[in-house]
């Protein structure tokens, strides 16, 4: 009985010593963050002091590898190890083969009976595909064209550039996310080729210094001779005939309109001339009608017994000298023709005389102004 108690006590002492000694072990340097491509390997290092008994590696809080002083405990062939000893430390390396996007997460190394641990983060990026709609492009020399490159399935969006092995007069490209699909990148290359060559679309992940490329052939052809100077395709025969008929009808219509216009102008001109002549006649008649009352007002009433001085002088000269002189007193109210007659006949200034032919009486025409 006493012997059994002594055995239990010895075991407890040994465990206490292991616990005390294990608690003095510590991690000097934990693993570092790693970013890798899908399908590649990821390496993590953990440096600890000598004397450790149990070292464990976990991925996303699941133990994937355990190490003891007797050897490793491997549960999955994708997770292997390597170890390195130095004078004052021990280095354990975890190797993850064929890394998948599901492996992304936290990676930790820890020691038994130690509260300390080292932690890092594993990031897995997927390099997608590149696509150009046609592997062999045929374009016309000297005419602008564009080529589109698609980057599909990249978990980290790449930077796309172009490598041109073809003579060009102008080239430029622009990369952007496809509208409605933020996991797809488009790059459009605009160029004016002058000869044959190749075009290479290059997608690069700068964090990993990894890239993927796709090359297509570019063939340049000469423009057809009959297309030089043409603005569009030639019209069919029926369209040409239809246009000819339409132009002929249009020409006939224009000639008819010109003839109608000339006739209208001539008729209008005749009407204007007739109207002008009528206006002239009306104006002349109006002037005549206006002149008649003025003439009557100026001339007064006609005296059919009046005879002009020249006629009386001629008659007096032809008749015998038998005349009588009648002296008439001067009147201020005498008519103007009578005064003019006295001016032409000789006589005293104060008593004008009028001669009458007694033997042959004549009609005297007198005009009185009113």
């Amino acid at each position: 009985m006493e012997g059994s108690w002594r055995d239990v006590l010895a075991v407890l002492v040994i465990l206490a010593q292991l616990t005390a000694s294990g608690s003095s072990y510590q991690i000097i340097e934990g693993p570092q963050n790693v970013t890798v491509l899908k399908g590649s390997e990821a390496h993590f290092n953990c440096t600890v002091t000598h004397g450790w008994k149990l070292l464990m590696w976990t991925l996303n809080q699941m133990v994937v590898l355990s190490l003891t002083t007797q050897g490793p405990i491997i549960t999955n062939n994708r997770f292997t190890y390597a170890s390195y000893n130095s004078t004052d430390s021990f280095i354990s390396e975890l190797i993850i083969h064929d890394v998948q996007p599901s492996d992304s997460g936290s990676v930790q190394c820890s020691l038994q009976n130690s509260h300390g641990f080292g932690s890092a983060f594993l990031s897995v990026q997927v390099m997608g595909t590149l696509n150009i709609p046609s592997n062999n492009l045929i374009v016309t020399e000297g005419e602008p064209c564009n080529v589109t490159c698609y980057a599909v399935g990249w978990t980290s969006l790449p930077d796309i550039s172009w490598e041109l092995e073809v003579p060009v007069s102008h080239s430029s490209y622009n990369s952007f996310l496809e509208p409605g699909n933020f996991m797809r990148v488009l790059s459009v290359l605009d160029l004016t080729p002058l000869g044959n060559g190749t075009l290479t679309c290059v997608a690069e992940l700068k964090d990993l210094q990894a890239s993927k490329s796709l090359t297509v052939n570019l063939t340049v052809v000469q423009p057809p001779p009959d297309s030089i100077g043409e603005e569009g395709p030639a019209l069919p025969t029926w369209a040409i005939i239809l246009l000819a008929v339409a132009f002929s009808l249009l020409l006939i219509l224009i000639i008819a309109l010109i003839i109608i216009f000339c006739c209208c102008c001539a008729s209008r001109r005749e009407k204007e001339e007739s109207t002008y002549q009528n206006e002239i006649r009306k104006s002349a008649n109006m002037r005549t009608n206006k002149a008649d009352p003025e003439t009557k007002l100026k001339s007064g009433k006609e005296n059919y017994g009046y005879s002009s001085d020249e006629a009386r002088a001629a008659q007096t000269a032809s008749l015998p000298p038998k005349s009588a002189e009648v002296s008439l007193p001067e009147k201020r109210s005498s008519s103007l023709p009578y005064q003019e007659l006295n001016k032409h006949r000789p006589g005293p200034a104060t008593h004008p005389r009028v001669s009458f032919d007694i033997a042959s009486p004549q009609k005297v025409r007198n005009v009185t102004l009113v």
Side-chain angles (χ1 to χ4, degrees), residues 262-281:
C262 293
C263 294
C264 292
C265 291
S267 176
R268 183 177 180 182
R269 188 177 296 109
E270 291 177 0
K271 289 181 180 180
E272 289 178 355
E273 290 177 358
S274 176
T275 304
Y276 180 71
Q277 292 176 358
N278 292 335
E279 292 293 334
I280 292 175
R281 292 192 187 96

Side-chain angles (χ1 to χ4, degrees), residues 62 71 95 191 239 306 318 328 332 344 362:
M62 293 181 63
I95 304 172
L191 73 159
Y306 173 77
S318 62
L328 298 176
R332 296 180 181 270
H344 292 283
Q362 303 178 11

Side-chain angles (χ1 to χ4, degrees), residues 16-26 51 111-115:
Q17 291 177 352
L18 290 174
T19 303
S21 60
S23 62
S24 63
Y25 305 145
Q26 61 181 358
L111 296 174
Q112 184 184 18
N113 300 327
S114 175
H115 298 290

Side-chain angles (χ1 to χ4, degrees), residues 132 161-165 189 198-202 213-216:
I132 297 177
S161 60
W162 290 85
E163 296 178 357
L164 278 64
E165 297 293 335
L189 172 65
T198 60
L199 302 175
T200 302
C201 176
V202 180
S213 63
L214 178 63
T215 302
V216 295

